[in-house]
Amino acid sequence: LIIPIIFAPDYQTDLLGLWFITIFTLALATGSIIAYSPEPNTPDLMNYFSIKLNYSFLYYILLFFIVISLLGIYLLIVFVLNTYNYSYYTTPWLAIPNLISIDRYGDQLNYPLLIKYSLYFIYPSNLLGGILIGQDKISKWIKLLSIIPIILAIALGIIEGARTSILLGTILFFSARLSVLIINKPKVSKRKSIKIIFVSGIIIGLFTVFFILIQWLRQGMDEIIVDLLIDRIRAYFFGYLAAFTQWFGSSMEVDYN
């Protein structure tokens, strides 16, 4: 709550939305206090609920999901080429994100079912990729195979001019990666923790650049985006509080009767 108010004070926040966040947070805190027990829990629950995965079988599942995802990307490109008219653009490929965004915001974008469901496989692929790349002593082929899903998620985000696929794919990939790391090595060294933080910072910086690039493509490569660069970054990182509270406040004002 404090960071958006400090760095983006001109973004208006709705008080009703702030009250909702406060009450929701207090409810979670109350539940944690009630559920807290000073008595030690059953020792080493992982021994009782250990999961034995057949990783060699997961390789084949991941490969199958990647093939379907690649098919979805290919069909999406064919669909876009057959749907839109590029005669007015000097750089037709760079105009694709803008054209798709126009149809999406106008509720006119409707992919065929084969494309839609094929693209869904990108997300479980990222989850499997994060699980597999977290294993020790894997071949370079498996590492390359595990990274392909996140590349597909980035490609889909660039084609559609949307950040959703990039964010969701990244969250699934790295959450699975870190989870496997903690399970395999419960006591992560201080040096390893610093390395994870450093790599995370680089990833955040890269995705900031990606978000700016996608916004530029979405707006049809408008040169004015350079002048609005700082405002865009502020909106990406500090606009969530204003966006959520205004949405919540306006939704509560609707007469559902």
Side-chain angles (χ1 to χ4, degrees), residues 175-211:
S175 61
R177 168 72 180 88
L178 293 175
S179 299
V180 172
L181 176 66
I182 295 301
I183 292 174
N184 292 339
K185 300 176 181 179
K187 295 183 179 180
V188 181
S189 64
K190 183 178 180 181
R191 190 173 182 180
K192 189 77 172 180
S193 301
I194 295 175
K195 182 179 178 181
I196 292 174
I197 294 173
F198 179 73
V199 173
S200 300
I202 294 177
I203 292 172
I204 292 174
L206 290 175
F207 275 99
T208 302
V209 175
F210 265 116
F211 288 170

PDB file of all heavy atoms in Angstrom, residues 175-211:
ATOM      1  N   SER A 175       8.722 -20.742 -10.102  1.00  0.00           N
ATOM      2  CA  SER A 175       8.193 -21.271  -8.842  1.00  0.00           C
ATOM      3  C   SER A 175       8.469 -22.771  -8.741  1.00  0.00           C
ATOM      4  O   SER A 175       8.846 -23.274  -7.674  1.00  0.00           O
ATOM      5  CB  SER A 175       6.695 -20.993  -8.734  1.00  0.00           C
ATOM      6  OG  SER A 175       5.982 -21.627  -9.780  1.00  0.00           O
ATOM      7  N   ALA A 176       8.294 -23.491  -9.855  1.00  0.00           N
ATOM      8  CA  ALA A 176       8.622 -24.923  -9.858  1.00  0.00           C
ATOM      9  C   ALA A 176      10.118 -25.137  -9.668  1.00  0.00           C
ATOM     10  O   ALA A 176      10.550 -26.030  -8.932  1.00  0.00           O
ATOM     11  CB  ALA A 176       8.158 -25.556 -11.168  1.00  0.00           C
ATOM     12  N   ARG A 177      10.912 -24.295 -10.317  1.00  0.00           N
ATOM     13  CA  ARG A 177      12.380 -24.407 -10.189  1.00  0.00           C
ATOM     14  C   ARG A 177      12.820 -24.210  -8.747  1.00  0.00           C
ATOM     15  O   ARG A 177      13.614 -24.994  -8.208  1.00  0.00           O
ATOM     16  CB  ARG A 177      13.033 -23.362 -11.105  1.00  0.00           C
ATOM     17  CG  ARG A 177      14.523 -23.141 -10.884  1.00  0.00           C
ATOM     18  CD  ARG A 177      15.325 -24.315 -11.375  1.00  0.00           C
ATOM     19  NE  ARG A 177      16.749 -24.104 -11.165  1.00  0.00           N
ATOM     20  CZ  ARG A 177      17.403 -24.427 -10.065  1.00  0.00           C
ATOM     21  NH1 ARG A 177      16.759 -24.988  -9.052  1.00  0.00           N
ATOM     22  NH2 ARG A 177      18.701 -24.224  -9.952  1.00  0.00           N
ATOM     23  N   LEU A 178      12.313 -23.178  -8.084  1.00  0.00           N
ATOM     24  CA  LEU A 178      12.714 -22.900  -6.703  1.00  0.00           C
ATOM     25  C   LEU A 178      12.165 -23.946  -5.743  1.00  0.00           C
ATOM     26  O   LEU A 178      12.819 -24.293  -4.755  1.00  0.00           O
ATOM     27  CB  LEU A 178      12.244 -21.499  -6.298  1.00  0.00           C
ATOM     28  CG  LEU A 178      12.930 -20.341  -7.031  1.00  0.00           C
ATOM     29  CD1 LEU A 178      12.299 -19.017  -6.635  1.00  0.00           C
ATOM     30  CD2 LEU A 178      14.423 -20.321  -6.732  1.00  0.00           C
ATOM     31  N   SER A 179      10.967 -24.449  -6.022  1.00  0.00           N
ATOM     32  CA  SER A 179      10.386 -25.474  -5.158  1.00  0.00           C
ATOM     33  C   SER A 179      11.228 -26.747  -5.176  1.00  0.00           C
ATOM     34  O   SER A 179      11.498 -27.348  -4.132  1.00  0.00           O
ATOM     35  CB  SER A 179       8.956 -25.787  -5.596  1.00  0.00           C
ATOM     36  OG  SER A 179       8.137 -24.643  -5.500  1.00  0.00           O
ATOM     37  N   VAL A 180      11.633 -27.165  -6.367  1.00  0.00           N
ATOM     38  CA  VAL A 180      12.482 -28.356  -6.481  1.00  0.00           C
ATOM     39  C   VAL A 180      13.828 -28.121  -5.805  1.00  0.00           C
ATOM     40  O   VAL A 180      14.391 -29.016  -5.163  1.00  0.00           O
ATOM     41  CB  VAL A 180      12.666 -28.735  -7.966  1.00  0.00           C
ATOM     42  CG1 VAL A 180      13.698 -29.852  -8.115  1.00  0.00           C
ATOM     43  CG2 VAL A 180      11.344 -29.170  -8.570  1.00  0.00           C
ATOM     44  N   LEU A 181      14.349 -26.893  -5.921  1.00  0.00           N
ATOM     45  CA  LEU A 181      15.624 -26.562  -5.281  1.00  0.00           C
ATOM     46  C   LEU A 181      15.525 -26.703  -3.764  1.00  0.00           C
ATOM     47  O   LEU A 181      16.423 -27.252  -3.114  1.00  0.00           O
ATOM     48  CB  LEU A 181      16.033 -25.136  -5.651  1.00  0.00           C
ATOM     49  CG  LEU A 181      17.302 -24.604  -4.985  1.00  0.00           C
ATOM     50  CD1 LEU A 181      18.521 -25.388  -5.448  1.00  0.00           C
ATOM     51  CD2 LEU A 181      17.491 -23.115  -5.286  1.00  0.00           C
ATOM     52  N   ILE A 182      14.419 -26.222  -3.185  1.00  0.00           N
ATOM     53  CA  ILE A 182      14.250 -26.301  -1.732  1.00  0.00           C
ATOM     54  C   ILE A 182      14.053 -27.747  -1.280  1.00  0.00           C
ATOM     55  O   ILE A 182      14.536 -28.169  -0.224  1.00  0.00           O
ATOM     56  CB  ILE A 182      13.048 -25.433  -1.295  1.00  0.00           C
ATOM     57  CG1 ILE A 182      13.342 -23.953  -1.578  1.00  0.00           C
ATOM     58  CG2 ILE A 182      12.741 -25.630   0.174  1.00  0.00           C
ATOM     59  CD1 ILE A 182      14.567 -23.429  -0.890  1.00  0.00           C
ATOM     60  N   ILE A 183      13.321 -28.542  -2.077  1.00  0.00           N
ATOM     61  CA  ILE A 183      13.096 -29.943  -1.709  1.00  0.00           C
ATOM     62  C   ILE A 183      14.398 -30.744  -1.771  1.00  0.00           C
ATOM     63  O   ILE A 183      14.711 -31.527  -0.875  1.00  0.00           O
ATOM     64  CB  ILE A 183      12.031 -30.577  -2.629  1.00  0.00           C
ATOM     65  CG1 ILE A 183      10.657 -29.954  -2.352  1.00  0.00           C
ATOM     66  CG2 ILE A 183      11.964 -32.084  -2.423  1.00  0.00           C
ATOM     67  CD1 ILE A 183       9.584 -30.424  -3.308  1.00  0.00           C
ATOM     68  N   ASN A 184      15.173 -30.530  -2.825  1.00  0.00           N
ATOM     69  CA  ASN A 184      16.425 -31.281  -2.976  1.00  0.00           C
ATOM     70  C   ASN A 184      17.512 -30.789  -2.029  1.00  0.00           C
ATOM     71  O   ASN A 184      18.349 -31.573  -1.560  1.00  0.00           O
ATOM     72  CB  ASN A 184      16.921 -31.184  -4.418  1.00  0.00           C
ATOM     73  CG  ASN A 184      16.012 -31.921  -5.388  1.00  0.00           C
ATOM     74  OD1 ASN A 184      15.250 -32.797  -4.986  1.00  0.00           O
ATOM     75  ND2 ASN A 184      16.083 -31.572  -6.656  1.00  0.00           N
ATOM     76  N   LYS A 185      17.524 -29.469  -1.774  1.00  0.00           N
ATOM     77  CA  LYS A 185      18.553 -28.886  -0.903  1.00  0.00           C
ATOM     78  C   LYS A 185      17.870 -27.968   0.108  1.00  0.00           C
ATOM     79  O   LYS A 185      17.797 -26.757  -0.094  1.00  0.00           O
ATOM     80  CB  LYS A 185      19.566 -28.100  -1.734  1.00  0.00           C
ATOM     81  CG  LYS A 185      20.281 -28.961  -2.776  1.00  0.00           C
ATOM     82  CD  LYS A 185      21.209 -28.127  -3.632  1.00  0.00           C
ATOM     83  CE  LYS A 185      21.899 -28.973  -4.685  1.00  0.00           C
ATOM     84  NZ  LYS A 185      22.791 -28.170  -5.561  1.00  0.00           N
ATOM     85  N   PRO A 186      17.341 -28.536   1.199  1.00  0.00           N
ATOM     86  CA  PRO A 186      16.597 -27.722   2.168  1.00  0.00           C
ATOM     87  C   PRO A 186      17.428 -26.585   2.754  1.00  0.00           C
ATOM     88  O   PRO A 186      16.908 -25.513   3.025  1.00  0.00           O
ATOM     89  CB  PRO A 186      16.202 -28.743   3.252  1.00  0.00           C
ATOM     90  CG  PRO A 186      16.295 -30.070   2.579  1.00  0.00           C
ATOM     91  CD  PRO A 186      17.382 -29.945   1.569  1.00  0.00           C
ATOM     92  N   LYS A 187      18.718 -26.812   2.959  1.00  0.00           N
ATOM     93  CA  LYS A 187      19.588 -25.776   3.535  1.00  0.00           C
ATOM     94  C   LYS A 187      20.390 -25.124   2.416  1.00  0.00           C
ATOM     95  O   LYS A 187      21.492 -25.557   2.074  1.00  0.00           O
ATOM     96  CB  LYS A 187      20.515 -26.387   4.577  1.00  0.00           C
ATOM     97  CG  LYS A 187      19.765 -26.945   5.794  1.00  0.00           C
ATOM     98  CD  LYS A 187      20.736 -27.482   6.822  1.00  0.00           C
ATOM     99  CE  LYS A 187      19.980 -28.015   8.045  1.00  0.00           C
ATOM    100  NZ  LYS A 187      20.909 -28.551   9.066  1.00  0.00           N
ATOM    101  N   VAL A 188      19.796 -24.095   1.833  1.00  0.00           N
ATOM    102  CA  VAL A 188      20.470 -23.369   0.754  1.00  0.00           C
ATOM    103  C   VAL A 188      21.510 -22.439   1.370  1.00  0.00           C
ATOM    104  O   VAL A 188      21.224 -21.718   2.328  1.00  0.00           O
ATOM    105  CB  VAL A 188      19.455 -22.571  -0.080  1.00  0.00           C
ATOM    106  CG1 VAL A 188      20.160 -21.835  -1.201  1.00  0.00           C
ATOM    107  CG2 VAL A 188      18.396 -23.507  -0.645  1.00  0.00           C
ATOM    108  N   SER A 189      22.702 -22.461   0.843  1.00  0.00           N
ATOM    109  CA  SER A 189      23.771 -21.643   1.391  1.00  0.00           C
ATOM    110  C   SER A 189      23.519 -20.165   1.146  1.00  0.00           C
ATOM    111  O   SER A 189      22.717 -19.776   0.290  1.00  0.00           O
ATOM    112  CB  SER A 189      25.114 -22.047   0.755  1.00  0.00           C
ATOM    113  OG  SER A 189      25.090 -21.777  -0.643  1.00  0.00           O
ATOM    114  N   LYS A 190      24.205 -19.338   1.942  1.00  0.00           N
ATOM    115  CA  LYS A 190      24.066 -17.890   1.800  1.00  0.00           C
ATOM    116  C   LYS A 190      24.524 -17.430   0.420  1.00  0.00           C
ATOM    117  O   LYS A 190      23.923 -16.565  -0.196  1.00  0.00           O
ATOM    118  CB  LYS A 190      24.875 -17.185   2.889  1.00  0.00           C
ATOM    119  CG  LYS A 190      24.756 -15.670   2.879  1.00  0.00           C
ATOM    120  CD  LYS A 190      25.555 -15.061   4.018  1.00  0.00           C
ATOM    121  CE  LYS A 190      25.430 -13.536   3.989  1.00  0.00           C
ATOM    122  NZ  LYS A 190      26.224 -12.910   5.082  1.00  0.00           N
ATOM    123  N   ARG A 191      25.583 -18.050  -0.059  1.00  0.00           N
ATOM    124  CA  ARG A 191      26.096 -17.704  -1.391  1.00  0.00           C
ATOM    125  C   ARG A 191      25.071 -18.036  -2.466  1.00  0.00           C
ATOM    126  O   ARG A 191      24.881 -17.275  -3.419  1.00  0.00           O
ATOM    127  CB  ARG A 191      27.399 -18.465  -1.629  1.00  0.00           C
ATOM    128  CG  ARG A 191      28.149 -18.031  -2.864  1.00  0.00           C
ATOM    129  CD  ARG A 191      29.503 -18.735  -2.914  1.00  0.00           C
ATOM    130  NE  ARG A 191      30.282 -18.308  -4.057  1.00  0.00           N
ATOM    131  CZ  ARG A 191      31.495 -18.765  -4.335  1.00  0.00           C
ATOM    132  NH1 ARG A 191      32.064 -19.639  -3.510  1.00  0.00           N
ATOM    133  NH2 ARG A 191      32.135 -18.338  -5.396  1.00  0.00           N
ATOM    134  N   LYS A 192      24.396 -19.183  -2.316  1.00  0.00           N
ATOM    135  CA  LYS A 192      23.362 -19.584  -3.276  1.00  0.00           C
ATOM    136  C   LYS A 192      22.192 -18.618  -3.227  1.00  0.00           C
ATOM    137  O   LYS A 192      21.613 -18.259  -4.269  1.00  0.00           O
ATOM    138  CB  LYS A 192      22.897 -21.004  -2.954  1.00  0.00           C
ATOM    139  CG  LYS A 192      21.982 -21.618  -3.991  1.00  0.00           C
ATOM    140  CD  LYS A 192      22.748 -22.084  -5.196  1.00  0.00           C
ATOM    141  CE  LYS A 192      21.864 -22.875  -6.132  1.00  0.00           C
ATOM    142  NZ  LYS A 192      22.577 -23.343  -7.331  1.00  0.00           N
ATOM    143  N   SER A 193      21.820 -18.159  -2.030  1.00  0.00           N
ATOM    144  CA  SER A 193      20.697 -17.233  -1.889  1.00  0.00           C
ATOM    145  C   SER A 193      21.009 -15.906  -2.577  1.00  0.00           C
ATOM    146  O   SER A 193      20.160 -15.329  -3.255  1.00  0.00           O
ATOM    147  CB  SER A 193      20.393 -17.004  -0.407  1.00  0.00           C
ATOM    148  OG  SER A 193      20.084 -18.219   0.233  1.00  0.00           O
ATOM    149  N   ILE A 194      22.242 -15.409  -2.406  1.00  0.00           N
ATOM    150  CA  ILE A 194      22.641 -14.155  -3.056  1.00  0.00           C
ATOM    151  C   ILE A 194      22.605 -14.313  -4.573  1.00  0.00           C
ATOM    152  O   ILE A 194      22.172 -13.407  -5.301  1.00  0.00           O
ATOM    153  CB  ILE A 194      24.043 -13.735  -2.580  1.00  0.00           C
ATOM    154  CG1 ILE A 194      24.003 -13.405  -1.082  1.00  0.00           C
ATOM    155  CG2 ILE A 194      24.551 -12.539  -3.375  1.00  0.00           C
ATOM    156  CD1 ILE A 194      25.361 -13.104  -0.490  1.00  0.00           C
ATOM    157  N   LYS A 195      23.028 -15.466  -5.055  1.00  0.00           N
ATOM    158  CA  LYS A 195      23.007 -15.724  -6.496  1.00  0.00           C
ATOM    159  C   LYS A 195      21.574 -15.724  -7.025  1.00  0.00           C
ATOM    160  O   LYS A 195      21.297 -15.149  -8.088  1.00  0.00           O
ATOM    161  CB  LYS A 195      23.673 -17.071  -6.795  1.00  0.00           C
ATOM    162  CG  LYS A 195      23.734 -17.411  -8.270  1.00  0.00           C
ATOM    163  CD  LYS A 195      24.420 -18.752  -8.483  1.00  0.00           C
ATOM    164  CE  LYS A 195      24.445 -19.112  -9.971  1.00  0.00           C
ATOM    165  NZ  LYS A 195      25.094 -20.440 -10.194  1.00  0.00           N
ATOM    166  N   ILE A 196      20.638 -16.339  -6.261  1.00  0.00           N
ATOM    167  CA  ILE A 196      19.232 -16.368  -6.675  1.00  0.00           C
ATOM    168  C   ILE A 196      18.668 -14.953  -6.726  1.00  0.00           C
ATOM    169  O   ILE A 196      17.966 -14.577  -7.674  1.00  0.00           O
ATOM    170  CB  ILE A 196      18.419 -17.257  -5.711  1.00  0.00           C
ATOM    171  CG1 ILE A 196      18.830 -18.719  -5.864  1.00  0.00           C
ATOM    172  CG2 ILE A 196      16.925 -17.105  -5.981  1.00  0.00           C
ATOM    173  CD1 ILE A 196      18.182 -19.645  -4.858  1.00  0.00           C
ATOM    174  N   ILE A 197      18.981 -14.132  -5.709  1.00  0.00           N
ATOM    175  CA  ILE A 197      18.499 -12.747  -5.678  1.00  0.00           C
ATOM    176  C   ILE A 197      19.069 -11.956  -6.858  1.00  0.00           C
ATOM    177  O   ILE A 197      18.370 -11.178  -7.513  1.00  0.00           O
ATOM    178  CB  ILE A 197      18.875 -12.087  -4.342  1.00  0.00           C
ATOM    179  CG1 ILE A 197      18.136 -12.767  -3.190  1.00  0.00           C
ATOM    180  CG2 ILE A 197      18.562 -10.590  -4.358  1.00  0.00           C
ATOM    181  CD1 ILE A 197      18.571 -12.298  -1.826  1.00  0.00           C
ATOM    182  N   PHE A 198      20.362 -12.164  -7.147  1.00  0.00           N
ATOM    183  CA  PHE A 198      21.007 -11.444  -8.252  1.00  0.00           C
ATOM    184  C   PHE A 198      20.378 -11.820  -9.590  1.00  0.00           C
ATOM    185  O   PHE A 198      20.063 -10.943 -10.411  1.00  0.00           O
ATOM    186  CB  PHE A 198      22.503 -11.759  -8.261  1.00  0.00           C
ATOM    187  CG  PHE A 198      23.263 -11.082  -9.368  1.00  0.00           C
ATOM    188  CD1 PHE A 198      23.520  -9.724  -9.327  1.00  0.00           C
ATOM    189  CD2 PHE A 198      23.708 -11.818 -10.459  1.00  0.00           C
ATOM    190  CE1 PHE A 198      24.213  -9.103 -10.355  1.00  0.00           C
ATOM    191  CE2 PHE A 198      24.401 -11.213 -11.488  1.00  0.00           C
ATOM    192  CZ  PHE A 198      24.652  -9.848 -11.430  1.00  0.00           C
ATOM    193  N   VAL A 199      20.174 -13.114  -9.799  1.00  0.00           N
ATOM    194  CA  VAL A 199      19.556 -13.570 -11.050  1.00  0.00           C
ATOM    195  C   VAL A 199      18.124 -13.058 -11.161  1.00  0.00           C
ATOM    196  O   VAL A 199      17.670 -12.651 -12.235  1.00  0.00           O
ATOM    197  CB  VAL A 199      19.590 -15.115 -11.129  1.00  0.00           C
ATOM    198  CG1 VAL A 199      18.800 -15.614 -12.329  1.00  0.00           C
ATOM    199  CG2 VAL A 199      21.034 -15.603 -11.222  1.00  0.00           C
ATOM    200  N   SER A 200      17.386 -13.047 -10.039  1.00  0.00           N
ATOM    201  CA  SER A 200      16.012 -12.539 -10.046  1.00  0.00           C
ATOM    202  C   SER A 200      15.979 -11.065 -10.436  1.00  0.00           C
ATOM    203  O   SER A 200      15.099 -10.624 -11.180  1.00  0.00           O
ATOM    204  CB  SER A 200      15.373 -12.731  -8.673  1.00  0.00           C
ATOM    205  OG  SER A 200      15.337 -14.090  -8.320  1.00  0.00           O
ATOM    206  N   GLY A 201      16.954 -10.290  -9.946  1.00  0.00           N
ATOM    207  CA  GLY A 201      17.023  -8.872 -10.315  1.00  0.00           C
ATOM    208  C   GLY A 201      17.255  -8.679 -11.805  1.00  0.00           C
ATOM    209  O   GLY A 201      16.648  -7.810 -12.432  1.00  0.00           O
ATOM    210  N   ILE A 202      18.131  -9.500 -12.374  1.00  0.00           N
ATOM    211  CA  ILE A 202      18.380  -9.425 -13.818  1.00  0.00           C
ATOM    212  C   ILE A 202      17.122  -9.777 -14.595  1.00  0.00           C
ATOM    213  O   ILE A 202      16.779  -9.122 -15.590  1.00  0.00           O
ATOM    214  CB  ILE A 202      19.542 -10.366 -14.204  1.00  0.00           C
ATOM    215  CG1 ILE A 202      20.853  -9.883 -13.576  1.00  0.00           C
ATOM    216  CG2 ILE A 202      19.678 -10.448 -15.733  1.00  0.00           C
ATOM    217  CD1 ILE A 202      22.028 -10.797 -13.845  1.00  0.00           C
ATOM    218  N   ILE A 203      16.403 -10.808 -14.131  1.00  0.00           N
ATOM    219  CA  ILE A 203      15.175 -11.225 -14.813  1.00  0.00           C
ATOM    220  C   ILE A 203      14.133 -10.115 -14.766  1.00  0.00           C
ATOM    221  O   ILE A 203      13.463  -9.820 -15.767  1.00  0.00           O
ATOM    222  CB  ILE A 203      14.633 -12.518 -14.179  1.00  0.00           C
ATOM    223  CG1 ILE A 203      15.582 -13.677 -14.477  1.00  0.00           C
ATOM    224  CG2 ILE A 203      13.241 -12.842 -14.710  1.00  0.00           C
ATOM    225  CD1 ILE A 203      15.248 -14.948 -13.732  1.00  0.00           C
ATOM    226  N   ILE A 204      13.991  -9.454 -13.608  1.00  0.00           N
ATOM    227  CA  ILE A 204      13.033  -8.347 -13.492  1.00  0.00           C
ATOM    228  C   ILE A 204      13.401  -7.223 -14.457  1.00  0.00           C
ATOM    229  O   ILE A 204      12.534  -6.628 -15.111  1.00  0.00           O
ATOM    230  CB  ILE A 204      12.999  -7.833 -12.041  1.00  0.00           C
ATOM    231  CG1 ILE A 204      12.374  -8.895 -11.130  1.00  0.00           C
ATOM    232  CG2 ILE A 204      12.210  -6.534 -11.939  1.00  0.00           C
ATOM    233  CD1 ILE A 204      12.435  -8.541  -9.659  1.00  0.00           C
ATOM    234  N   GLY A 205      14.707  -6.921 -14.559  1.00  0.00           N
ATOM    235  CA  GLY A 205      15.132  -5.889 -15.506  1.00  0.00           C
ATOM    236  C   GLY A 205      14.831  -6.245 -16.949  1.00  0.00           C
ATOM    237  O   GLY A 205      14.352  -5.415 -17.721  1.00  0.00           O
ATOM    238  N   LEU A 206      15.075  -7.507 -17.305  1.00  0.00           N
ATOM    239  CA  LEU A 206      14.796  -7.953 -18.671  1.00  0.00           C
ATOM    240  C   LEU A 206      13.302  -7.881 -18.986  1.00  0.00           C
ATOM    241  O   LEU A 206      12.913  -7.467 -20.087  1.00  0.00           O
ATOM    242  CB  LEU A 206      15.310  -9.381 -18.879  1.00  0.00           C
ATOM    243  CG  LEU A 206      16.828  -9.552 -18.914  1.00  0.00           C
ATOM    244  CD1 LEU A 206      17.199 -11.028 -19.001  1.00  0.00           C
ATOM    245  CD2 LEU A 206      17.428  -8.786 -20.089  1.00  0.00           C
ATOM    246  N   PHE A 207      12.468  -8.264 -18.020  1.00  0.00           N
ATOM    247  CA  PHE A 207      11.041  -8.222 -18.274  1.00  0.00           C
ATOM    248  C   PHE A 207      10.510  -6.798 -18.301  1.00  0.00           C
ATOM    249  O   PHE A 207       9.504  -6.532 -18.949  1.00  0.00           O
ATOM    250  CB  PHE A 207      10.294  -9.062 -17.241  1.00  0.00           C
ATOM    251  CG  PHE A 207      10.222 -10.504 -17.617  1.00  0.00           C
ATOM    252  CD1 PHE A 207      11.104 -11.424 -17.081  1.00  0.00           C
ATOM    253  CD2 PHE A 207       9.311 -10.949 -18.556  1.00  0.00           C
ATOM    254  CE1 PHE A 207      11.063 -12.750 -17.445  1.00  0.00           C
ATOM    255  CE2 PHE A 207       9.264 -12.281 -18.933  1.00  0.00           C
ATOM    256  CZ  PHE A 207      10.137 -13.183 -18.375  1.00  0.00           C
ATOM    257  N   THR A 208      11.176  -5.887 -17.602  1.00  0.00           N
ATOM    258  CA  THR A 208      10.811  -4.480 -17.743  1.00  0.00           C
ATOM    259  C   THR A 208      11.018  -4.023 -19.178  1.00  0.00           C
ATOM    260  O   THR A 208      10.174  -3.339 -19.765  1.00  0.00           O
ATOM    261  CB  THR A 208      11.648  -3.623 -16.783  1.00  0.00           C
ATOM    262  OG1 THR A 208      11.453  -4.071 -15.448  1.00  0.00           O
ATOM    263  CG2 THR A 208      11.238  -2.160 -16.889  1.00  0.00           C
ATOM    264  N   VAL A 209      12.150  -4.416 -19.756  1.00  0.00           N
ATOM    265  CA  VAL A 209      12.419  -4.086 -21.159  1.00  0.00           C
ATOM    266  C   VAL A 209      11.393  -4.745 -22.069  1.00  0.00           C
ATOM    267  O   VAL A 209      10.891  -4.131 -23.024  1.00  0.00           O
ATOM    268  CB  VAL A 209      13.849  -4.527 -21.539  1.00  0.00           C
ATOM    269  CG1 VAL A 209      14.098  -4.294 -23.027  1.00  0.00           C
ATOM    270  CG2 VAL A 209      14.872  -3.784 -20.704  1.00  0.00           C
ATOM    271  N   PHE A 210      11.033  -6.003 -21.774  1.00  0.00           N
ATOM    272  CA  PHE A 210      10.032  -6.704 -22.575  1.00  0.00           C
ATOM    273  C   PHE A 210       8.681  -6.001 -22.502  1.00  0.00           C
ATOM    274  O   PHE A 210       7.984  -5.857 -23.503  1.00  0.00           O
ATOM    275  CB  PHE A 210       9.897  -8.153 -22.106  1.00  0.00           C
ATOM    276  CG  PHE A 210      10.732  -9.111 -22.893  1.00  0.00           C
ATOM    277  CD1 PHE A 210      11.761  -9.814 -22.288  1.00  0.00           C
ATOM    278  CD2 PHE A 210      10.501  -9.318 -24.245  1.00  0.00           C
ATOM    279  CE1 PHE A 210      12.536 -10.697 -23.004  1.00  0.00           C
ATOM    280  CE2 PHE A 210      11.272 -10.201 -24.969  1.00  0.00           C
ATOM    281  CZ  PHE A 210      12.301 -10.898 -24.354  1.00  0.00           C
ATOM    282  N   PHE A 211       8.293  -5.557 -21.326  1.00  0.00           N
ATOM    283  CA  PHE A 211       7.006  -4.889 -21.164  1.00  0.00           C
ATOM    284  C   PHE A 211       6.966  -3.596 -21.967  1.00  0.00           C
ATOM    285  O   PHE A 211       5.961  -3.270 -22.603  1.00  0.00           O
ATOM    286  CB  PHE A 211       6.742  -4.586 -19.689  1.00  0.00           C
ATOM    287  CG  PHE A 211       6.421  -5.806 -18.884  1.00  0.00           C
ATOM    288  CD1 PHE A 211       6.368  -5.747 -17.504  1.00  0.00           C
ATOM    289  CD2 PHE A 211       6.191  -7.033 -19.496  1.00  0.00           C
ATOM    290  CE1 PHE A 211       6.074  -6.874 -16.751  1.00  0.00           C
ATOM    291  CE2 PHE A 211       5.894  -8.163 -18.760  1.00  0.00           C
ATOM    292  CZ  PHE A 211       5.841  -8.073 -17.380  1.00  0.00           C
TER     293      PHE A 211
END
